[in-house]
Structures are given as structure tokens and as C-alpha cells.
């Protein structure tokens, strides 16, 4: 199965970016500032560009939290991950095949992500896996979005994002953002 995924990634020329140093990610050289909430376009660009630049670090952080939660509640975590994946795939399919949903996804990306997470939450409430969903799936996403919101971009960050936006590099986060309708925002 992994060889099929690797072959598909090679065909799409997807290159996972390197893991950024801890110093660059959160320590010494990292610069943080509260975003200007009056300028939503600039805040959105900061989030998208940080998601692209630090995607490997976010992935490792996400897997670490998932691993901790999965150690204590493996079945509930599996159930929650399955529900979120199915709802996300359903949303992407609907957005590709239904014009009103596609417009909604492009015009309101935060609401689209909230709808996916909200629908997952409601479905898991019926199934009883609320706590595992909140701490195993939604909490890491919240941490990633907070970091991407407050982390200021460096020159290296801007250069890497420009390579992604002009198509010289394709990354997993770039493909995810593209499926959420944010490809035109990346690199700006």
C-alpha cells in the first residue's frame, strides 16, 4: 500500500519539506506577534504561508499528540480519525461537484474547515467519542492554527513559499490547501 502512495506522490512530484529546526520553529530565532485581526487577508496569508513552511513540524507535532491520545484510547482515536477523514473526503468531493459548495469553500475557508470539524464533532457525539476527538484531533489542529497565526515569516519562509506558489515544488500541505480552495493565496 505504501509503495502505491509513494508512486502516486512521485507522479505528482510531491516533495515533503525538511523538518525545520526547533530554534526556527519555536525557540531562539523564532519571532511571534499577535496578528492584526482588522486585516483578515494579511492574517490569512500569514497562516497559509506558515502552514506551507512548517508543515513537517506540524505533522510531527500532530502525530505526537495523536500517539499520546492513541496510547490511552486507541479505538476511540481510530473512530474519530475515520469520521473526520470520511467527512473531509465527502466535503472535497462535494466541493468539486457542486458549484455552490465550491464557491463557499473559496469565499469562506475558515467556515468550511469549521463545518468539517463541526460535522465530525456532531457525528462523534452520537457515537460517544467526543473527548478523544477534541484532544486527539481538534486540539492539534488548534495548536497548529495558533502557531501559524502568531509566527512571523522569515526571508527563508517567503522564498520557500514562492517556490511552492510558482509550481517548482509541490508539498503535501500545498495539496491539502489546494483541496480546501486556498491555492491562490499561497505564496502571496
Amino acid at each position: 500500500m505504501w509503495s502505491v502512495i509513494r508512486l502516486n506522490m512521485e507522479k505528482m512530484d510531491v516533495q515533503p519539506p525538511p523538518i525545520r529546526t526547533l530554534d526556527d520553529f519555536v525557540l531562539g530565532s523564532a519571532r511571534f506577534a499577535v496578528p492584526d485581526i482588522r486585516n483578515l487577508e494579511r492574517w490569512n496569508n500569514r497562516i497559509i504561508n506558515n502552514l506551507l513552511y512548517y508543515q513537517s513540524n506540524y505533522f510531527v507535532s500532530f502525530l505526537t499528540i495523536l500517539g499520546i491520545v492513541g496510547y490511552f484510547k486507541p479505538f476511540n482515536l481510530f473512530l474519530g480519525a475515520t469520521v473526520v477523514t470520511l467527512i473531509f473526503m465527502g466535503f472535497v468531493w462535494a466541493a468539486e461537484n457542486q458549484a455552490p459548495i465550491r464557491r463557499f469553500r473559496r469565499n469562506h475557508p475558515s467556515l468550511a474547515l469549521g463545518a468539517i470539524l463541526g460535522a465530525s464533532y456532531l457525528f462523534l457525539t452520537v457515537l460517544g467519542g467526543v473527548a478523544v476527538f477534541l484532544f486527539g484531533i481538534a486540539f492539534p489542529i488548534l495548536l497548529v492554527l495558533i502557531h501559524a497565526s502568531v509566527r512571523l515569516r522569515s526571508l527563508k519562509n517567503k522564498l520557500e513559499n514562492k517556490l511552492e506558489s510558482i509550481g517548482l515544488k509541490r508539498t503535501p500541505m500545498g495539496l491539502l490547501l489546494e483541496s480546501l480552495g486556498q491555492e491562490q493565496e499561497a505564496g502571496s
Side-chain angles (χ1 to χ4, degrees):
M1 178 177 148
W2 293 111
S3 60
V4 172
I5 292 171
R6 183 174 295 146
L7 285 174
N8 287 337
M9 287 180 73
E10 287 172 3
K11 287 180 186 176
M12 292 187 303
D13 197 28
V14 175
Q15 303 170 0
I19 294 178
R20 308 300 175 188
T21 65
L22 198 55
D23 185 57
D24 182 28
F25 188 54
V26 292
L27 298 176
S29 69
R31 296 181 0 232
F32 296 93
V34 176
D36 181 10
I37 59 174
R38 295 175 302 221
N39 189 345
L40 294 178
E41 183 177 337
R42 186 173 175 165
W43 186 13
N44 189 43
N45 285 339
R46 180 193 288 189
I47 290 171
I48 289 172
N49 286 301
N50 280 332
L51 286 173
L52 288 169
Y53 186 71
Y54 294 110
Q55 64 187 281
S56 294
N57 296 68
Y58 293 146
F59 185 68
V60 169
S61 302
F62 189 81
L63 287 181
T64 301
I65 294 172
L66 279 178
I68 292 168
V69 173
Y71 178 76
F72 293 107
K73 299 275 190 175
F75 177 73
N76 289 348
L77 180 68
F78 176 74
L79 181 65
T82 302
V83 168
V84 171
T85 301
L86 291 174
I87 290 175
F88 179 76
M89 288 173 36
F91 179 77
V92 170
W93 177 84
E96 294 300 319
N97 294 309
Q98 303 292 323
I101 296 174
R102 185 173 30 253
R103 279 192 303 278
F104 176 78
R105 179 185 71 179
R106 284 197 192 279
N107 296 334
H108 307 287
S110 299
L111 289 176
L113 180 61
I116 292 168
L117 294 176
S120 300
Y121 175 80
L122 291 174
F123 190 72
L124 286 173
T125 301
V126 172
L127 297 176
V130 177
V132 173
F133 171 74
L134 287 175
F135 290 108
I137 298 173
F139 185 65
I141 291 173
L142 176 66
L143 291 178
V144 165
L145 291 177
I146 288 171
H147 183 272
S149 290
V150 299
R151 177 67 171 93
L152 296 175
R153 295 169 57 203
S154 65
L155 184 59
K156 186 176 178 184
N157 180 322
K158 291 176 183 179
L159 178 63
E160 289 285 327
N161 292 142
K162 197 51 78 176
L163 290 173
E164 169 85 20
S165 70
I166 61 175
L168 295 178
K169 289 177 76 177
R170 298 291 294 167
T171 62
M173 183 64 75
L175 295 174
L176 177 65
L177 290 172
E178 189 175 311
S179 71
L180 289 171
Q182 295 301 299
E183 68 276 357
Q184 76 280 3
E185 300 290 338
S188 51

